[in-house]
Amino acid sequence: MFEGIFSYSILKRAVDKGLVEIHLHNIRDYAANKHRRVDDYAFGHGAGMVMMIQPIADLIEKLRKERSYDEVIYLSPDGEIFGQPAANRLSTLQNIILLCGHYKGIDERIREHYITMEVSIGDYVLSGGELAAALITDSVVRLIPGVLGDETSALSDSFQDGLLSPPVYTRPADYNGWKVPEILLSGDEKKINEWLMEKAIERTRQRRPEMLQENDNPLL
Ligand code: 6GU
């Protein structure tokens, strides 16, 4: 599931440039039984399988001998909803583990003894944590200095200043009568920046009004 995602575009470039290392581990490779089973029936519940402690514990113990980890993150719908502030913080760390849950979840003792942070990507249920792990990886890696060509572009992303992005345009300035706003062609940088900020605020007010209320946006 991950190989395609990590083999293209910005993630691939980041890996090729040596700016990040991404290691994939298959929990099944750590199963102690010959059928490579990593799940078992839940104690005290009818339905659903639970991921066993031993393969996960062995993998985490092995990794912790190789390097120290700043966070061991469990991807689960009960986690804290992931957002840009968490992406920013994770991008400053050295090493993190992303553990993908499956089935009904992982044995609670793994959460108690190894997990330092639980993350969800939204209020819907996925069949496993892999898509969430890929999404988090993308959002974190692109913030590592040197990963994006234009150093400033991560800072001007939607959300980075608590606002949605203003509209953008490129050539031609007139496409069969559909015109680019005059001000963007004026060359007046101050006026242009004021216009962009106004449009960002207007778009945020129309589409995500709650963002203007949140966290005392210093720009407003
Ligand atoms: Cl991180 N995992 C699963 N299985 N479902 C989710 C999720 C994670 N975040 C939202 N739904």
Side-chain angles (χ1 to χ4, degrees), residues 74-81 104-105 108 111 118-124:
Y74 176 49
L75 287 328
S76 147
D78 352 318
E80 193 179 322
I81 306 270
K104 274 240 146 319
E108 187 67 17
R111 295 164 82 161
E118 302 202 4
V119 172
S120 164
I121 60 164
D123 287 336
Y124 40 81

Side-chain angles (χ1 to χ4, degrees), residues 79 88 98 123 136 138 149 188:
N88 291 344
L98 298 175
D123 287 336
I136 289 167
D138 184 288
D188 183 337

Side-chain angles (χ1 to χ4, degrees), residues 16-68:
D16 289 348
K17 280 185 174 172
L19 297 168
V20 66
E21 288 180 23
I22 301 172
H23 301 278
L24 299 171
H25 305 276
N26 187 345
I27 297 285
R28 268 184 193 283
D29 295 340
Y30 296 83
N33 58 80
K34 67 170 185 280
H35 303 291
R36 306 222 305 157
R37 267 189 68 175
V38 294
D39 62 336
D40 207 337
Y41 297 97
F43 281 126
H45 286 264
M49 304 301 280
V50 175
M51 286 175 67
M52 296 156 56
I53 296 187
Q54 170 269 315
I56 298 173
D58 284 359
L59 171 55
I60 293 175
E61 292 288 350
K62 182 192 101 137
L63 293 175
R64 290 213 300 203
K65 289 196 185 96
E66 296 170 3
R67 59 185 80 72
S68 61

